[in-house]
Amino acid sequence: EARISGLPCRVWNAEQEERSRRTVERLGELQEALGREQLHLWYQPKTHPDDGRLLGLEGLLRWEHPRLGNIPPDEFMPQAEHTGLIHPLTRELLERAAADTLRLRESGIDVPVSVNVSARNFLDPEFAERVLAIIREAGLSPRDLELEFTETAVMANPEEVIAALDRLQNAGVDVAIDDFGTGQASLSYLRRLPVHALKLDQAFVREMTRRPVDAQITRAAIGLGHDLGLQVVAEGVEDEETLNELHQLGCDAVQGYGIARPMPLDDVIRWTHANSPP
Ligand code: C2E
Ligand code: CA
Ligand code: CA
Ligand code: CA
């Protein structure tokens, strides 16, 4: 009996070992990539569901690995979080987003740029002050940068997160709850969180025109967000029909492949000029 249960256990261990070895290797590389030109911030537009005007840009991290090609953030962000590398990484990304925001302003594009931050970032008691310092040093206004974070960030240490959010919102930096509806945070947190927007997860949006249940959830979430005085942003909008339905439901902003994919800064500047209403 022991042998029977021992076999899958050994297989699993070997797999785990291999995985953790690769993780350690990759983290060393990620650390180096930080100082090199392998990490890029791409930007995906958020637009108005009615007239299509640009409302904001979300920065999304891209790692162009010299051997492995593009590595999606989902494959290395969890490791960066576990090891604490997330702290210098987020600082670097905020600084780049600030510099890119100045470039956008020079090109006549005046919308906020949002940066994704991790649960772990809030464990740094200086986090809010660091964000404000980066904005100040770049010569930007707090309105120029926004943050997105997921509900799981709150669960870990609600008091610290709420304090940091208070500090940021009071200073004028808007914050959005990302992937709303998929996390485990209860609705009572939502009431206490000083945020300005909810981002509805793609899981509900992508198939809402084919699945009535998804459409119902989307409608309810938009109503809840508005009742709480929050903006509601839908992500994962892949076609015109979904866009129209979201407009009818009163959604404030839309984002998705059907509008534009994430792009390098120069492309997003060209895209905006080509798509701005006359
Ligand atoms: P997220 O913040 O929910 O970002 C949205 C993800 O959905 C992005 O994937 C985006 O490319 C993708 N997406 C946008 N529109 C559509 C659509 O219409 N259809 C589909 N199928 N996908 C769409 P990406 O760039 O691979 O990022 C994945 C996740 O990695 C992000 O989810 C975010 O949690 C994390 N991430 C990305 N960049 C950063 C970063 O700079 N810092 C941190 N902490 N996390 C990041
Ligand atoms: Ca996001
Ligand atoms: Ca999201
Ligand atoms: Ca996500």
Side-chain angles (χ1 to χ4, degrees):
E1 295 243 327
R3 225 182 289 152
I4 292 167
S5 66
L7 182 59
C9 183
R10 222 168 21 242
V11 171
W12 183 80
N13 276 339
E15 232 170 59
Q16 283 293 98
E17 244 177 67
E18 168 63 14
R19 184 181 292 180
S20 70
R21 192 184 56 76
R22 276 207 312 266
T23 301
V24 170
E25 255 177 39
R26 194 165 280 182
L27 269 176
E29 289 178 328
L30 181 59
Q31 191 121 39
E32 284 175 29
L34 247 182
R36 296 184 185 161
E37 288 303 292
Q38 297 173 17
L39 294 183
H40 309 281
L41 263 184
W42 283 23
Y43 294 93
Q44 186 177 34
K46 297 178 200 173
T47 59
H48 193 281
D50 188 18
D51 59 14
R53 73 176 186 276
L54 189 71
L55 297 176
L57 293 167
E58 177 179 7
L60 292 160
L61 183 57
R62 295 291 176 263
W63 182 6
E64 214 181 312
H65 191 281
R67 272 181 302 108
L68 304 172
N70 249 313
I71 307 178
D74 288 330
E75 281 179 29
F76 61 88
M77 291 311 286
Q79 298 151 14
E81 288 181 15
H82 280 302
T83 55
L85 195 61
I86 190 68
H87 298 291
L89 182 59
T90 301
R91 270 204 296 282
E92 169 77 22
L93 296 178
L94 283 163
E95 280 166 11
R96 287 193 198 186
D100 288 347
T101 304
L102 291 173
R103 285 256 344 260
L104 289 163
R105 299 296 178 266
E106 284 164 14
S107 311
I109 300 170
D110 193 7
V111 294
V113 167
S114 54
V115 174
N116 290 282
V117 300
S118 298
R120 272 303 196 92
N121 288 123
F122 289 103
L123 292 180
D124 169 7
E126 303 294 313
F127 181 63
E129 293 310 321
R130 286 189 213 280
V131 173
L132 296 172
I134 289 169
I135 290 170
R136 217 170 29 241
E137 277 154 31
L140 292 170
S141 131
R143 292 277 158 220
D144 293 323
L145 276 197
E146 297 184 355
L147 305 181
E148 296 184 9
F149 76 102
T150 60
E151 293 160 86
T152 44
V154 191
M155 301 289 287
N157 45 335
E159 301 312 321
E160 284 88 340
V161 175
I162 290 169
L165 293 178
D166 264 327
R167 176 76 185 102
L168 288 164
Q169 287 280 34
N170 286 337
V173 178
D174 277 336
V175 184
I177 298 184
D178 208 350
D179 298 350
F180 180 70
T182 60
Q184 273 129 51
S186 76
L187 291 174
S188 67
Y189 277 124
L190 195 58
R191 205 162 29 89
R192 294 173 58 203
L193 288 179
V195 295
H196 89 293
L198 289 185
K199 293 192 78 179
L200 286 186
D201 195 71
Q202 335 181 347
F204 308 115
V205 178
R206 284 224 305 265
E207 294 182 60
M208 62 179 274
T209 56
R210 291 180 295 276
R211 296 178 33 132
V213 173
D214 288 0
Q216 293 292 358
I217 293 173
T218 301
R219 176 199 303 272
I222 292 172
L224 175 67
H226 285 169
D227 284 348
L228 291 167
L230 306 176
Q231 299 268 302
V232 180
V233 184
E235 54 181 29
V237 179
E238 296 190 342
D239 54 51
E240 186 95 20
E241 207 187 331
T242 308
L243 176 68
N244 291 335
E245 201 164 319
L246 286 164
H247 176 44
Q248 269 160 28
L249 292 175
C251 191
D252 302 289
V254 285
Q255 185 180 357
Y257 292 173
I259 296 144
R261 294 195 171 238
M263 300 172 262
L265 184 68
D266 288 335
D267 291 351
V268 100
I269 291 173
R270 272 193 292 275
W271 183 92
T272 304
H273 288 144
N275 282 274
S276 43

